[in-house]
Amino acid sequence: MHSYLTALRQKLDPRYYQALVQTSLLIYGWLSLDFPFKPEQVIAVLFTAFLTQFLCLKYLNLPWQGLSTLNTSLSIILLLYANSLWWLSLASLMAISSKFLIRYQNHHVFNASNVGIVAVLLLTDSVWVAVGKWGHGLWELLLLAGIGLVILLGWQRMLTSLVFLSSYTCLLFARAFWLGDALSIPLHQLENGALLIFCFFMLSDPMTVPRHLIGRCVFGFWVALLAWYLQIKWFLPNAFLYALALSSPLVIFINLAWNHEPYRWHYGRNN
């Protein structure tokens, strides 16, 4: 069984799995849960993302690579809502362009969808990330999909996500015990589809997390601690998104402290 999983990890690009899960969520939510998606919103995000990717690759004279662009676009569509198509397009533009404009040692510093979403959240009150739209059943499916990604990539590659989720859970429950709150409060905070998408499909990006196992543990715990602090002290909804954006530059210094061979996708270039 172990040898079969090892061979599968070497042959299958996990971005296909991510795209399949994200597309399934989009279709299911649209048809069954009345997610407020409009076709023009989906088209705006996808068109802007792929056009930006095409122009950047053309300018740099690099071959076409669009799988990560699809993953980024789907994350923005699933998480971000706006009163105007322009804000969604701007989030998509900033997400893809950040991969080419903000780089260190030939790797982009920020997770693309994360920085695009956070940027427009800071720029305007006309965008938001929905928390309570997922429902318990879909939340469970998201959790199963995340576990599937752990199996596909292996626990070492998913260590940042696993440490983050366990640390964040412990911090929420510790505060509830300290204050004498009902356990339903931290449980409700964890039953957040946006949290699981962030944890398993954003924080797991091997290109923007530390290379070494120790570094991944440190980074996962730090993002959880910062997210918890921002949520408790600043009352920021979906504080984990801001925590990752603020913490991403720290990966450069973590990699200097615990150096390791950089990750490379099995297919295409690291864009």
Side-chain angles (χ1 to χ4, degrees), residues 15 65 265-270:
R15 292 174 292 182
Q65 216 289 348
W265 295 113
H266 295 306
Y267 304 93
R269 301 179 68 91
N270 294 322

Side-chain angles (χ1 to χ4, degrees), residues 12 24 32 38 46 54 70 77 100 110 135 141 145-146 165-166 177 191 201 217 246 266:
L12 181 62
S24 300
S32 301
K38 296 179 181 178
L46 290 172
F54 171 78
L70 178 61
I77 293 169
F100 297 93
F110 294 95
L141 291 176
L165 190 59
S166 58
F177 280 120
E191 289 184 347
F201 299 100
C217 290
L246 290 170
H266 295 306

Side-chain angles (χ1 to χ4, degrees), residues 62-195:
L62 295 174
W64 173 252
Q65 216 289 348
L67 188 52
S68 292
T69 304
L70 178 61
N71 292 146
T72 298
S73 301
L74 291 172
S75 292
I76 293 174
I77 293 169
L78 285 168
L79 292 176
L80 192 64
Y81 289 88
N83 292 326
S84 169
L85 293 179
W86 296 109
W87 289 117
L88 293 173
S89 295
L90 181 61
S92 189
L93 172 65
M94 298 180 75
I96 302 302
S97 61
S98 71
K99 297 192 302 178
F100 297 93
L101 297 177
I102 308 175
R103 300 179 69 86
Y104 178 77
Q105 292 185 347
N106 203 33
H107 289 81
H108 50 95
V109 175
F110 294 95
N111 176 275
S113 56
N114 174 250
V115 74
I117 291 172
V118 169
V120 294
L121 285 173
L122 294 174
L123 286 173
T124 179
D125 294 329
S126 299
V127 299
W128 65 96
V129 174
V131 178
K133 68 178 184 179
W134 302 93
H136 186 71
L138 190 57
W139 181 86
E140 291 179 340
L141 291 176
L142 265 172
L143 183 59
L144 288 175
I147 295 172
L149 188 61
V150 174
I151 295 173
L152 181 63
L153 279 177
W155 67 268
Q156 293 182 335
R157 283 293 169 198
M158 293 294 294
L159 191 56
T160 304
S161 297
L162 295 174
V163 171
F164 165 82
L165 190 59
S166 58
S167 300
Y168 190 65
T169 300
C170 290
L171 288 168
L172 290 178
F173 275 97
R175 185 173 188 271
F177 280 120
W178 178 263
L179 297 177
D181 291 339
L183 295 183
S184 58
I185 295 177
L187 285 173
H188 178 71
Q189 293 171 321
L190 291 170
E191 289 184 347
N192 177 355
L195 173 65

Side-chain angles (χ1 to χ4, degrees), residues 8 33 83 94 96 116 208 231:
L8 183 63
L33 299 179
N83 292 326
M94 298 180 75
I96 302 302
T208 54
Q231 178 178 322

Side-chain angles (χ1 to χ4, degrees), residues 184-257:
S184 58
I185 295 177
L187 285 173
H188 178 71
Q189 293 171 321
L190 291 170
E191 289 184 347
N192 177 355
L195 173 65
L196 293 185
I197 289 179
F198 165 82
C199 180
F200 291 116
F201 299 100
M202 189 178 291
L203 191 56
S204 64
D205 178 13
M207 304 305 300
T208 54
V209 298
R211 302 168 184 170
H212 197 276
L213 291 179
I214 296 176
R216 291 174 202 158
C217 290
V218 171
F219 187 67
F221 175 75
W222 167 252
V223 174
L225 182 63
L226 183 58
W228 176 82
Y229 178 81
L230 293 175
Q231 178 178 322
I232 299 304
K233 297 298 182 180
W234 287 39
F235 306 103
L236 283 177
N238 298 299
F240 42 84
L241 293 170
Y242 298 94
L244 178 58
L246 290 170
S247 303
S248 290
L250 296 177
V251 173
I252 297 173
F253 302 99
I254 293 175
N255 284 336
L256 290 175

